[in-house]
Amino acid sequence: MRPGCQRPRCLCAKGARWKSRSVRSVSRSCLRVLFTVSDRPGPQSLTSVKWTTLCNTSLDNPTQRSKDQLIRAAIKFLDTDTICYKVEEPETLVELQKNEWDPVIEWAENRYGVEIGSSTSIMGPSIPARTHEVLANHLASYNMWALQGIEFVVTQLKSMVLTLGLTDLHLTVEQAVLLSRLEEEYQIQKWGNVEWAHDYELQELRARTAAGTLYIHLCSQSSTVNHKLLQE
């Protein structure tokens, strides 16, 4: 071991050993995630593998990013959000994007009291500074582990708006993935599907998004126990 290198700390969860050089404490909600991952018998599914990766990333924080840095990394996707960039042609795709994307954008604007909008320009929509501020304050309510999951999902979907829909249970994983791939699905319907490529990409994206979404919810859960005295 090199001089000055910290000895790895070890956390045991149902027989599984998690090593980290940086972790000092783990909250109950985050510990629940470790127990959930460790308690899955047999070979890990694709989703479980993503869970394990997220747990290790959250434990070690290899890039040593702060909470503010994680929030900024997620918020930056708002300026290039997938569902805020629309096409001008063909008409059928224009109508499809309007019918599928506009309701989600409208929901997000009403839910958070902000302005997002959309654009057909290559420069994208002009997102007001207040929108960034409001959503950054909202993300600040999450703990570090949940923020790791949020950034992970945002990166998969290339959409902050769709990720908010998932965290607020407004969208299912299948819906969010379909909306993020709307133009690709349109092209597949028109030109056909390459099974060995398109099907794999779809399943991989679903697995990553499902793992990240469940990870966020598990890390964000809290529970209380009220003890009542028995009266004689």
Side-chain angles (χ1 to χ4, degrees):
M1 184 178 295
R2 296 193 305 270
C5 185
Q6 294 182 347
R7 183 182 299 276
R9 296 178 174 86
C10 183
L11 176 65
C12 294
K14 293 193 176 183
R17 297 169 66 86
W18 301 80
K19 291 185 178 181
S20 172
R21 298 184 184 277
S22 59
V23 65
R24 287 182 169 80
S25 63
V26 180
S27 66
R28 276 186 186 177
S29 60
C30 301
L31 191 60
R32 185 186 298 115
V33 180
L34 295 180
F35 274 101
T36 300
V37 175
S38 303
D39 199 32
R40 298 182 67 84
Q44 287 191 320
S45 66
L46 187 57
T47 300
S48 296
V49 171
K50 308 307 179 188
W51 278 354
T52 304
T53 301
L54 282 168
C55 286
N56 286 327
T57 302
S58 297
L59 279 171
D60 289 335
N61 189 16
T63 56
Q64 298 298 307
R65 289 185 297 175
S66 65
K67 187 172 184 177
D68 287 341
Q69 288 174 318
L70 285 173
I71 291 173
R72 289 198 298 269
I75 290 294
K76 74 177 183 180
F77 277 90
L78 188 62
D79 293 317
T80 56
D81 201 291
T82 295
I83 70 172
C84 294
Y85 279 79
K86 295 183 176 180
V87 299
E88 295 180 316
E89 57 180 355
E91 187 61 35
T92 50
L93 181 55
V94 171
E95 190 68 18
L96 183 62
Q97 291 179 340
K98 178 181 178 181
N99 293 337
E100 300 294 336
W101 285 352
D102 284 3
V104 181
I105 295 175
E106 183 179 353
W107 165 82
E109 290 178 332
N110 293 333
R111 166 68 175 82
Y112 296 99
V114 296
E115 180 184 346
I116 298 175
S118 61
S119 174
T120 58
S121 168
I122 193 173
M123 302 300 295
S126 178
I127 307 293
R130 180 181 175 277
T131 299
H132 287 82
E133 181 181 353
V134 170
L135 295 182
N137 288 337
H138 171 70
L139 294 183
S141 65
Y142 289 91
N143 60 45
M144 284 283 290
W145 281 46
L147 285 173
Q148 293 277 7
I150 288 173
E151 188 202 4
F152 179 79
V153 175
V154 171
T155 303
Q156 305 311 310
L157 300 177
K158 305 297 187 294
S159 173
M160 186 71 228
V161 177
L162 293 178
T163 302
L164 291 172
L166 285 170
T167 57
D168 277 10
L169 302 179
H170 178 71
L171 297 172
T172 65
V173 169
E174 290 78 9
Q175 289 173 329
V177 169
L178 177 61
L179 290 171
S180 72
R181 289 166 42 95
L182 195 63
E183 185 172 354
E184 185 174 352
E185 291 295 330
Y186 172 84
Q187 298 295 343
I188 289 174
Q189 291 295 324
K190 184 175 181 180
W191 303 107
N193 183 35
V194 180
E195 295 182 3
W196 58 268
H198 293 140
D199 289 347
Y200 174 80
E201 291 175 358
L202 176 60
Q203 297 305 321
E204 174 74 10
L205 182 56
R206 282 180 178 172
R208 288 176 175 271
T209 305
T213 302
L214 184 55
Y215 185 85
I216 295 166
H217 289 300
L218 287 173
C219 290
S220 304
Q221 285 182 349
S222 61
S223 59
T224 57
V225 178
N226 294 324
H227 297 280
K228 295 184 178 180
L229 296 176
L230 296 177
Q231 296 181 352
E232 297 181 354

